[in-house]
Amino acid sequence: MARSSLNINTKHYLIVGGNTGIGAASVECLLGQGHQLTVASRRIDPDIASRVTYCPFDVETVFALGLPDMLDGLVYFPGTINLKPLTRLMAADYERDYRINVIRAVHAIQAALPALKRAPRASIVLFGRVAAKVGLPFHASIAAAKAAVEGLGRSLAAELAPKIRVNVISPSLTDTPLAQAFLNSEEKRRASGDRHPAKRVGDPKEMAALVDYLLGSNSSFVTGQVFRADGGLSSVRLL
Ligand SMILES: NC(=O)c1ccc[n+]([C@@H]2O[C@H](COP(=O)([O-])OP(=O)(O)OC[C@H]3O[C@@H](n4cnc5c(N)ncnc54)[C@H](OP(=O)(O)O)[C@@H]3O)[C@@H](O)[C@H]2O)c1
């Protein structure tokens, strides 16, 4: 559909990894507001596929993305949770964590940049992790990769200003397929929740609401920020 026939507030966003978890919740949230989406991921739920432009894409192997001429925003979701003690950490582990979380995000942004630059204003949202801010055991590899994502976000916010804003959301444990190993019993779920001042884990829908805010014009004065949606884990201590 041509932009001129759409409501002025309707935007076209590229969602890299919108099939499950926070990505899928974000797709539902953004579609609910009438936005157009191009979803690039390895797999796609048929119900989602029927409502978006689907671009089969594996960040591990594919480098070219079929993109529209103009994009109002990009969100990059692919990530890893690879927790190991330092003694068991192999080069392949931290290379994969860095590749999927950082290098492929850079490739996706590079591929989308011409289309993002054609929009009057655009917004990029990346995903960090609470462990980039607070030291947690066994998180060395993923903490290093996600700290790089936070640095990447701030640096690109400076480089691409004022036309393109860049922000990072850094959640703590959130109820998605990626986190199921930590949430697959009531006991684990309670223990995980209890580690947070908020006394629960994150909900993909509340992360999606933050994605929606950061993509949209209500956050037009916000760039180069890291949003710590972590139930207080990185900054609050209960007495
Ligand atoms: N869930 C948490 O506890 C948590 C905590 C902190 C940070 N985060 C971060 O939040 C972001 C989203 O996480 P999530 O929990 O929503 O994860 P998720 O449920 O695994 O979703 C990730 C999305 O990326 C896609 N994806 C994964 N690998 C891909 C690849 N190689 N190529 C293309 N697409 C790929 C997945 O689709 P397919 O697998 O179908 O291709 C899926 O749509 C990640 O960056 C993660 O590190 C999550």
Side-chain angles (χ1 to χ4, degrees):
M1 202 185 308
R3 176 180 284 258
S4 56
S5 66
L6 294 166
N7 180 309
I8 189 95
N9 293 321
T10 300
K11 306 290 186 193
H12 193 149
Y13 298 125
L14 171 63
I15 306 295
V16 182
N19 189 36
T20 59
I22 303 168
S26 300
V27 164
E28 289 302 337
C29 176
L30 295 167
L31 284 175
Q33 296 176 47
H35 297 307
Q36 278 187 285
L37 303 181
T38 294
V39 174
S41 65
R42 289 178 296 190
R43 292 171 292 254
I44 190 86
D45 181 291
D47 175 50
I48 294 180
S50 65
R51 294 177 290 146
V52 302
T53 303
Y54 175 51
C55 174
F57 178 69
D58 184 335
V59 296
E60 291 268 45
T61 55
V62 181
F63 297 92
L65 274 165
L67 294 178
D69 280 349
M70 186 164 85
L71 279 169
D72 299 287
L74 176 161
V75 192
Y76 183 88
F77 287 103
T80 48
I81 300 185
N82 178 24
L83 307 189
K84 281 187 178 176
L86 185 62
T87 47
R88 287 193 17 229
L89 206 51
M90 311 297 284
D93 294 319
Y94 50 77
E95 283 170 6
R96 180 169 185 272
D97 283 343
Y98 197 82
R99 190 169 63 246
I100 291 183
N101 288 284
V102 187
I103 297 175
R104 297 310 196 216
V106 172
H107 288 167
I109 294 167
Q110 286 171 330
L113 201 53
L116 291 165
K117 283 183 170 169
R118 282 185 205 109
R121 286 277 184 271
S123 170
I124 295 172
V125 180
L126 304 174
F127 271 81
R129 187 174 176 80
V130 65
K133 169 79 174 169
V134 66
L136 297 172
F138 313 127
H139 283 65
S141 174
I142 188 61
K146 290 300 199 182
V149 171
E150 293 187 1
L152 174 70
R154 277 189 293 266
S155 177
L156 291 184
E159 187 171 333
L160 302 177
K163 259 199 119 179
I164 304 177
R165 298 181 296 110
V166 186
N167 291 287
V168 178
I169 298 173
S170 285
S172 184
L173 199 61
T174 300
D175 191 357
T176 71
L178 187 68
Q180 281 318 295
F182 310 96
L183 298 172
N184 57 11
S185 73
E186 264 320 301
E187 209 180 330
K188 286 188 193 174
R189 184 176 290 272
R190 198 174 319 108
S192 294
D194 280 349
R195 278 193 281 277
H196 297 78
K199 295 296 169 198
R200 64 173 176 86
V201 298
D203 179 337
K205 285 189 182 148
E206 62 199 347
M207 304 300 163
L210 200 42
V211 168
D212 177 33
Y213 166 71
L214 290 173
L215 286 175
S217 56
N218 285 338
S219 62
S220 59
F221 201 47
V222 179
T223 192
Q225 300 303 313
V226 176
F227 287 78
R228 305 203 178 278
D230 61 14
L233 188 65
S234 67
S235 56
V236 175
R237 179 173 300 180
L238 299 181
L239 294 175

